[in-house]
Structures are given as structure tokens and as C-alpha cells.
Amino acid sequence: MAPVPSTVSASSTPSAAASTGPIGADGKPLKPCCSCPETKKARDQCVFNLGEENCLDMIKAHQQCLRDLGFKI
């Protein structure tokens, strides 16, 4: 029987993703959790108060903000 190739690639590891992600003005890699705080806060408040299904515009706006910074989501 032939060996099964691994489906995990180096680019999917957290350390590899961090080194190839967007870089902030200070030269340090940006983190998705700390980026776009305005859209993140609005999205989180909407989801908490109204439920995810009622906040799709806010969710998409936050995703677009992250994409604009260079995150691949």
C-alpha cells in the first residue's frame, strides 16, 4: 500500500502565516485579532444584541477591512 501524503502544508502553520501576513506601520506583523477595531466592535455588538443572521452587513464590512489590510480571509 502506498503512503498517504500529508494534507498539512508549511503555509498553513501559524508561524508561517504570521511571517507572510501584513506588516504594520511599525514594521511588526499585524494580527487579525487586533486589526480593524472599529468594525470589529460594531460587528461584535450587533451579533451580541441581534444575532449573527441579522448582522451580515457588519460581518462583511469587518471582513473587507481585514482584506484591505492584506489578510487572506
Side-chain angles (χ1 to χ4, degrees):
M1 204 182 277
V4 178
S6 173
T7 59
V8 177
S9 67
S11 63
S12 67
T13 60
S15 61
S19 65
T20 61
I23 304 298
D26 60 358
K28 295 181 182 178
L30 293 175
K31 298 177 185 178
C33 64
C34 305
S35 301
C36 301
E38 299 85 10
T39 57
K40 181 180 178 182
K41 183 176 181 178
R43 177 207 63 185
D44 291 350
Q45 286 179 340
C46 183
V47 170
F48 181 76
N49 292 325
L50 304 174
E52 184 176 340
E53 64 278 359
N54 297 309
C55 300
L56 296 179
D57 289 340
M58 298 268 189
I59 293 168
K60 289 179 182 179
H62 184 60
Q63 289 173 339
Q64 187 59 50
C65 180
L66 293 172
R67 286 186 191 110
D68 291 346
L69 289 176
F71 290 102
K72 296 178 183 180
I73 59 165

